[in-house]
């Protein structure tokens, strides 16, 4: 048997050592993928209240005119015009207040020392409601009395004329009655929303 050449022996030994000494390559864990940032939440919008809907649908305040010639029934027409001005002004006041309550711009009452502000606010809201209802009911009574007396005008000389004028003036009175109904509805909704908003704070 031939002796192994020292060079080859060294080479084989070196390769064996190199194979044993080679580091084991560790498995690299995958880098975590960053989760996408959550989308910003949409701002919370307040659901429309019954008062909001009333304001959106309410008729714009305007005078209810009389379509009867004053020369035909001057007394009845003059009374109608006075009632129309009164009812229209009342409706306009309640309409404007309803808008302020709905959008939160109604001025708050002055606080009373020693009394919880909620109590003061609720008393104020209730008193305003009672005042509005009192004005509405007073106007209703005067309107009803007017309707009863439409035909009692010295200028009306015959039954045909009286019937025609009663019908035409009665139509105007019905429009005023509708305004009062709308005002009463708004007054109730203002009270309800005002008390609810106060309790929620």
């Amino acid at each position: 048997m031939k002796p192994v050449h020292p060079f080859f022996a060294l080479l084989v030994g070196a390769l064996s050592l190199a194979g044993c000494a080679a580091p084991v390559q560790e498995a690299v864990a995958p880098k975590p993928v960053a989760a996408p940032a959550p989308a910003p939440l949409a701002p919370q919008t307040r659901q429309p209240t019954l008062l909001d809907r009333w304001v959106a649908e309410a008729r714009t305040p305007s005078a209810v005119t009389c379509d009867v010639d004053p020369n035909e029934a001057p007394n009845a027409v003059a009374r109608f015009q006075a009632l129309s001005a009164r009812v229209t002004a009342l409706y306009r006041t309640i309409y404007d207040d309803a808008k302020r309550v709905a959008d939160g711009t109604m001025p708050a009452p002055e606080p009373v020392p020693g009394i919880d502000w909620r109590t003061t606010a609720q008393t104020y809201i209730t008193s305003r409601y009672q005042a509005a209802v009192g004005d509405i009911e007073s106007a209703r009574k005067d309107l009803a009395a007017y309707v009863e007396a439409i035909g009692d005008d010295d200028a009306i000389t015959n039954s045909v004329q009286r019937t025609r004028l009663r019908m035409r003036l009665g139509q105007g009175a019905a429009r005023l009655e509708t305004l009062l109904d709308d005002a009463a509805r708004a007054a109730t909704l203002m009270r309800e929303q005002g008390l609810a908003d106060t309790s929620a704070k």
Side-chain angles (χ1 to χ4, degrees):
M1 183 175 181
K2 293 181 180 180
V4 178
H5 194 282
F7 174 76
F8 288 109
L10 288 173
L11 179 61
V12 171
L15 288 175
S16 299
L17 289 173
C20 293
V24 178
Q25 191 172 13
E26 295 182 0
V28 179
K31 292 183 179 179
V33 179
L41 294 175
Q44 294 291 328
T45 56
R46 183 174 68 87
Q47 292 298 318
T49 65
L50 292 176
L51 183 61
D52 292 330
R53 293 173 188 165
W54 185 93
V55 170
E57 297 169 3
R59 69 193 72 199
T60 303
S62 60
V64 176
T65 58
C66 179
D67 61 355
V68 173
D69 185 344
N71 293 323
E72 286 193 84
N75 224 5
V77 171
R79 289 185 64 197
F80 178 87
Q81 290 171 337
L83 273 171
S84 177
R86 176 182 170 190
V87 171
T88 301
L90 176 58
Y91 176 80
R92 180 178 288 109
T93 297
I94 291 178
Y95 175 87
D96 290 341
D97 283 352
K99 289 176 68 176
R100 285 192 285 267
V101 172
D103 64 20
T105 59
M106 175 65 82
E110 291 293 326
V112 178
I115 298 179
D116 181 71
W117 69 269
R118 288 185 180 85
T119 302
T120 302
Q122 290 173 350
T123 300
Y124 174 74
I125 291 165
T126 302
S127 65
R128 285 183 64 86
Y129 167 75
Q130 291 171 340
V133 169
D135 290 341
I136 291 168
E137 291 308 310
S138 175
R140 279 193 201 280
K141 289 178 182 177
D142 290 346
L143 184 59
Y146 168 75
V147 170
E148 287 296 321
I150 283 178
D152 300 337
D153 195 306
D154 294 339
I156 301 174
T157 57
N158 59 71
S159 60
V160 174
Q161 182 189 22
R162 181 174 286 104
T163 299
R164 178 172 57 82
L165 292 179
R166 281 182 67 90
M167 183 175 65
R168 292 173 67 185
L169 290 169
Q171 289 171 346
R175 292 196 294 273
L176 294 179
E177 182 70 27
T178 299
L179 280 186
L180 291 174
D181 289 342
D182 291 346
R185 175 64 175 158
T188 298
L189 293 176
M190 280 192 285
R191 181 195 60 180
E192 291 174 354
Q193 181 162 323
L195 292 177
D197 290 348
T198 303
S199 298
K201 290 180 181 179

